[in-house]
Amino acid sequence: MAKWVYNFGDGKADGRAEMKNLLGGKGANLAEMASIGLPVPPGFTLTTEVCTHFYKNDCNYPKELTQQVEEALALVQQRTGRVFGDSTNPLLVSVRSGARASMPGMMDTVLNLGLNDKTVEALAKKSGDRRFAFDSYRRFVQMYSDVVLGIEINHFEKHLERAKEKRGVKQDCELLPEDLEKLVKSYKAVVQLELGEEFPEDPKAQLWGAIGAVFNSWMNQRAKTYRQLHDIPEWWGTAVNVQAMVFGNMGNDCATGVAFTRDPSTGTNEFYGEFLVNAQGEDVVAGIRTPQELTIKARKSHGSDLPSLEEVMPNIFKELLSVRSQLEHHYKDMQDIEFTIQQGKLYMLQTRNGKRTAPAALQIAVDMAKEGLITKSQALMSLKPDLIDQLLHPTLDPKAKKEVIAKGLPASPGAAGGKVVFSADEAVRRSKDGDKVILVRIETSPDDIHGLHAAEGVLTTRGGMTSHAAVVARGMGRPCVAGAGGITVDYAAAKLTVGSVTVTEGQILTIDGSTGEVMVGEVPTVPPQLSGSFGIIMEWADEVRDMKVRANAETPADARQAKEFGAEGIGLVRTEHMFFDGQRIVAMRQMILATDENDRRQALEKLLVMQREDIIELFKIMDGMPVTVRLLDPPLHEFIPHTEAEMASVAKAAGVPLDRVRRRAAELQEANPMLGHRGCRLAITYPEICEMQARAIFEAAAEVGRSSKKLPVAEVMVPLVATTEELKLLKGVIEKTADAVKKEQGITFTYKVGTMIELPRAALQAGKLAEMAEFFSFGTNDLTQTTYGLSRDDAGSFLPEYKAKGIVEQDPFVSLDPDGVGELITMAVQRGRSTRPDMKMGICGEHGGDPASIEVCERIGLDYVSCSPFRVPVARLAAAQSALKTQGEKTKQSSTKATKPRVQNFGPW
C-alpha cells in the first residue's frame, strides 16, 4: 500500500531532512529535529504526492489516505495523552503547508483546530484559564473562516475593534474572558450571515476542511506569483503538516517567537530574533504587537524599553542558545527557527535554512568556513549566484544632504527612492509605466507579493525585523524599512503624515534599509564597495573554476567596470553600438546613403578614426587580455529613421536630397530582418566595411603594442556565418588588411580570426569551419531563435502561457535549452575540436550570465562565458559551482566503478 502519511514525535520519525521533496521543507525538518532529540510536538505529514494526486484527480484524495490519517492521529493522541474532539481532555492541532522550497506566507495555516463549544470548556477547565481558552477559540474561528470558508478577515476585525473600544483598551490581550466569549458568538454570527450555515463543530470535519484548504492554497494567486518569481515548478506541490498545538498565549510564563541563528541582514554571528509573551505565532509575523528582542545586546542597540527573553526567561534563553548551536552544527547553515514556550517549557515548531541578504550570505559562508563548520567548497555551493547581483546596487551617498522625516527598523539593506504608492496594484501599474516606486503600507500581507516585486523598496509602519515585509523584501533583494511607527498612513486620502510633514501619492520618498531612515525627496547614491567577504568568495571561486569569464563591452566605462569585477577579457565588442552617437551616426548614415563604393569609402574613413580610438581604449584597459571584436552585425535599416521629419533631418545632416533618404529607406526594408541582410552578408556585399573594421582593429593593436608591456590580444569575429565559403572570403579580406597594416606600421602583432556560431547549419558544419576559424563564440541569442524558430522580440507574448502549461520550464532566452540548443553546441564543439583540438570556444549571448546556462556550458566543455559587466561576479561564482558539481559527479562515477561487485568468498577465515 502506498505510504501517504509520515509520523514524527517523541524522538522518532518516519522521515529525515533529505526527504524534503516528499515531505516538504517543513515536514522534513520537523522529522529531523524530532530524530536528533529536540523538543518537537508530535504530528504527521501528508506528502507532496498527495497534493499531486489531489490535482490530477479532480481534487480527490487517494483512497488509502483517510485510514492513514486516522492511524497517524491516533499515534499523536497516544504521544500527547489527549484525545481529538474529547470534551474533557481535548487534543488541538495546527494544520500548516510545507513546500520543498520555502514560500513564506504564500500558503495557508490554521491553528487551534479541534475547538468547538464543548472542547473550549474542557480547555478552560484543564488550563485553569478561561480567557486563554476563549482567546484561542476566537482566533480559530477567525482563521478557519478566512482560510477554509473564504470569508474576508475584515468582517471579523471590525468586531474585534468594537470590543476593544467598548472595553477601553488597545491590545487584544487586555480583553476579558467575557469579551472574548461574546466575540466568538459575533464571529459565528458572521459565518451564518455570510454563508447561510453554521460554523462547523465536528473536529474531524474541521481537520479535513483545513487539509483541503492548504492543498488548495498551492494554487492561490499569491503562491502562483511567488513560484513564478522564484522559478518553483507547479508540479512540486506542497505537503501538509498536522501537529499537536502548544500554546504561547496561556499566560505570562508562555511566549512565542522566531529567530535566526545569525543576523540575516549582516551575517554577523549573533543570535537574532523576536518574541512576544502570552501570544501565538501569527502575532509576531503580522506585526500586530511590538515584539521584544531575544538578547540584552539587541534590546540596547535598538533602544527598546521592553525586556529581552534573556532577561524575562533566562533558563529558557540558555536552552534556546543550546538549540541554536545544535541546529547550526547539524544543518551546516544559518537556521530560521520558530519556537513556543508553554508554561515554562520550550518547543521547537520549525527550522529551515534562513533567507538572508546578499552581504549576509557571503559573510555567513566565509565565517562558517573559517570556523570549520563547512569547507571552502561547501561555502561556495551554499551561495545562490544571483544573490551576488544584490551587492551590485547603489547605496546612499554619505555626503549627500538628506531630510530624514522618520526612522524605522533596518529590515533589508540597500537604498531606494521613488514615487510613493499605497497599494500593490498601483505599484505594478506605475512600474509598467516606467516609474520607480516605493510601496508604503501599514503592514504587508502575502497578497501584496506582486507589488513588492514591482517596487524599488518597501516601507511599513508596523511589524518587526521578521515581519512579512521584511522577510519577503530580503528574499527579493529589495530595501525595506519596517515598523516606522511615527508615520501615519491614510489609504483613503492616499497620503502619509509625520508630524507636520505630509507626503501624497506620487511624491518622491527615499528609504535606507541599512539604517531604517525615511527621507523626503530623492537622495543621490554611490556605487557599491565590494571587499571583505565578497573578495574572499571570489578568490575561492577562482581557485576552483575551470571556465574563464569575459565581458560583453564596447565602451571604456563598461570595460573598466568589467575588469574591476574580475573579467578576464572581452568576449564581445558589438561594434555597431559605437556608431549611434553624435557625428558617428552622421558618418554611418553617409556610408549607408552612398551611391557607389568611392562615396562609401569616404564615409568609412571618418568611421575608421572613431572606431580605432575606441578599440585602442579597450586594448589599453584589458592590458594583454583577449578582446573579441565582432564585425558589423545588424541590418543597415536600423541606422536609418522612418518618419518624414527624421528623414529630412538625416538628409540635411548628410548633405543629400531627401528623396535619396526616402528611396534608401525603402530599399533597406525587409520582411524578416533577423534572417535578412545582416552579419557576414553585409561584409560580403560591402567588403569595404569589413576592411575598415579590420584596419581599425589592427591599427589599434599596433598603436597599443608600441607603448604597452603586454601586447594586445586581438580576436576578429565574423558574425552569422552559415557556410565555409562565407568565412573563407572574409578571412581573406581580414588577413590582407592585417598584412597591409603591418607593412605600413612597421610593427608586427598577433591576432585570431574566428566566427560566431548562431545558425544550426554552422553548428552542423563546425568541423569544416574549424579549418579556417581559430575560435568559436556561440551567439546563443540567435542560435536559440533559429533553433526554436522563435523571434525573441515576439515570443514574450506567449511564452508565459507555455511556462504556465508546463510546455517549457524556463524561457529559452533566459536559460539555455540543454536538450536542443545545448545539443547543437555540443555537436559543434566536438566537430570543431576534431579538426582543431586546441580550439578556444565560449558563448557571448545573454545566457553567459545565467547560472543554469553556465552549468550547461561547463558540462559541454566550453573555455569561457561572456556576459554583461555587472553579471561577471555572478558568472565567476556560477562557474566555480559548475566545476565543483562536475568534479563531484566524476568522483561519484569513479567510486561506483571502483566498488563494482566482485566474486568473493565470505567463509570462515
Side-chain angles (χ1 to χ4, degrees), residues 733-772:
V733 173
I734 293 163
E735 288 178 334
K736 183 179 178 182
T737 305
D739 291 341
V741 171
K742 286 179 182 178
K743 188 175 180 181
E744 292 162 10
Q745 300 281 337
I747 188 171
T748 189
F749 48 82
T750 58
Y751 67 94
K752 289 181 179 179
V753 178
T755 186
M756 286 184 86
I757 305 291
E758 302 170 89
L759 301 171
R761 191 181 195 282
L764 294 170
Q765 293 289 299
K768 291 183 178 179
L769 288 172
E771 292 172 7
M772 284 169 288

Side-chain angles (χ1 to χ4, degrees), residues 144 196 277 311 337-338 357 460 500 506 660 701 873 876 886 905 909:
Y144 192 92
V277 173
E311 294 162 300
I337 61 178
E338 293 180 15
T357 63
T460 68
S500 60
R660 190 193 294 184
R876 288 166 70 190
T886 304
N905 294 316
W909 296 105

Side-chain angles (χ1 to χ4, degrees), residues 68-102:
Q68 291 186 20
V69 167
E70 291 287 342
E71 291 170 355
L73 191 59
L75 185 57
V76 176
Q77 291 176 146
Q78 179 187 323
R79 285 170 167 169
T80 60
R82 298 193 293 266
V83 179
F84 192 57
D86 189 61
S87 59
T88 56
N89 186 25
L91 167 69
L92 303 182
V93 297
S94 63
V95 181
R96 302 172 189 259
S97 63
R100 67 168 84 172
S102 176

Side-chain angles (χ1 to χ4, degrees), residues 79 187 306 311 337 404 407 454 494 546-547 610 839 893 907:
R79 285 170 167 169
Y187 284 5
L306 299 171
E311 294 162 300
I337 61 178
V404 178
K407 191 166 184 180
D546 299 315
M547 280 194 300
M610 302 169 190
M839 193 176 199
Q893 289 169 2

